[in-house]
Amino acid sequence: MTGRYSTHDIEHYDRPRRRTRPRTKERPSYDDAVQGRVVTVDRGRFTLLVDDVVVLAVKARPLGRKGVVVGDRVRVVGDTSGDEGALARIVEVLPRTTTLRRTADDDDPVERVIVSNAEQLVVVTALADPDPQPRLLDRALVAAYDAGMAPLLCLTKSDLADPETLLSTYRSLGVPWVVTRRGGDLAEVRTALAGRTSVLVGSSGVGKSTLVNALVPDADREVGVVNSVTGRGRHTSTSAFMLALPRGEGQEAGWIIDTPGIRSFGLAHVRPEDLIGAFPDLDEMTEDCPRGCTHGDEEPECGLDVALAEGQADPERVASFRRLLAARSVSDY
């Protein structure tokens, strides 16, 4: 018995070793992957357009926590036939050209990408029912400038109020605008959207879904009403959705992305130096500002104040910029 348990025989009674293949650092190349574009996201499932075919997909595990949002251009493998029950897999998110971001609040460190690869941010606001919210409008413009997107004001329900009252505030910013009314001609709007991917943002009840249904007749976006007591709209769009615009005569194809109604637009991610960069005529006047200058009203020796005193800056434009700058820290509507 003593010879049975010698040190030479330990492998016969020790716990068996795990015999697994060593993990490799090499990753699949996915040479057979095809490109698609995300048009909507719903509970971990992604609807894509792959060569004009609607494909349902999930995110591959190697992507980890990397978010996939509407507008993303992605590479997919698997069944991209679009048949019922078919499921593809997103294996790569291609570099984004633009990202529209927001935070829940101004002190929230977590940024949320709303959509990507859009060129134009259409800020939809009603002239009445509900009343305009200039602070929210200002903050949406700040987000557009920060994202490098061209802003466009879309004023709805012009049959209820005069648009000039609101436009007089934003004309000095040089932001283009279109005015609509229920049942009115949308030719001007179609021209502004043609050949671009545009994101529609605004409060609930301002008429975004109504506008989308008029632009894309088969969109079938649910339309809500405004609460007569609170003056606020009811959320009808529950997720962002990308839609192809019908091509007009002599116009390029375009895309619009309808987003859920918002009641806040956190801007914790926006830095003053990024915002001033969206105003090149004012930016060049701040070259001699002290280090850390935010270019706000209370900043000592700000280059904008010097330019105003010397008559080199447009007072209305400086005031408009500083109003947008102040909007970064004002979250009550």
Side-chain angles (χ1 to χ4, degrees), residues 4 54 60 96 98 106 120 138 146 154 157 183 211 237 261 274 298 303-304 318 328:
R4 180 180 178 184
V54 178
R96 296 164 174 165
T98 62
D106 285 339
Q120 183 170 242
D138 287 348
D146 178 68
C154 182
K157 306 183 183 181
L211 180 63
S237 300
D274 294 333
E298 305 299 327
L304 294 180
V318 173
R328 295 172 54 256

Side-chain angles (χ1 to χ4, degrees), residues 286-308:
T286 63
E287 294 180 354
D288 296 327
C289 282
R291 183 185 297 273
C293 180
T294 65
H295 318 303
D297 286 315
E298 305 299 327
E299 290 289 346
E301 302 179 12
C302 178
L304 294 180
D305 292 323
V306 175
L308 286 171

Side-chain angles (χ1 to χ4, degrees), residues 152-318:
L152 173 70
L153 296 183
C154 182
L155 309 182
T156 63
K157 306 183 183 181
S158 62
D159 50 319
L160 302 180
D162 183 6
E164 185 57 34
T165 303
L166 189 63
L167 287 176
S168 61
T169 305
Y170 295 93
R171 190 170 279 111
S172 61
L173 284 173
V175 179
W177 70 85
V178 290
V179 179
T180 70
R181 64 174 61 202
R182 183 180 292 273
D185 185 13
L186 294 178
E188 188 179 6
V189 179
R190 295 184 188 278
T191 300
L193 301 178
R196 290 181 166 184
T197 298
S198 303
V199 184
L200 276 61
V201 299
S203 302
S204 300
V206 298
K208 281 192 296 83
S209 296
T210 301
L211 180 63
V212 169
N213 288 336
L215 292 169
V216 188
D218 58 350
D220 294 329
R221 300 296 275 173
E222 185 181 353
V223 177
V225 294
V226 177
N227 188 301
S228 59
V229 177
T230 65
R232 291 182 172 180
R234 178 173 58 88
H235 290 286
T236 53
S237 300
T238 57
S239 60
F241 201 100
M242 176 180 281
L243 296 160
L245 285 170
R247 188 192 299 267
E249 184 177 352
Q251 293 181 341
E252 298 181 52
W255 295 85
I256 55 173
I257 303 175
D258 186 20
T259 61
I262 57 173
R263 289 180 180 168
S264 65
F265 212 118
L267 298 172
H269 60 284
V270 179
R271 301 179 302 172
E273 55 267 33
D274 294 333
L275 182 57
I276 190 67
F279 299 81
D281 57 323
L282 301 182
D283 192 15
E284 63 183 13
M285 301 174 186
T286 63
E287 294 180 354
D288 296 327
C289 282
R291 183 185 297 273
C293 180
T294 65
H295 318 303
D297 286 315
E298 305 299 327
E299 290 289 346
E301 302 179 12
C302 178
L304 294 180
D305 292 323
V306 175
L308 286 171
E310 296 177 353
Q312 297 178 353
D314 181 351
E316 288 189 7
R317 188 154 170 82
V318 173

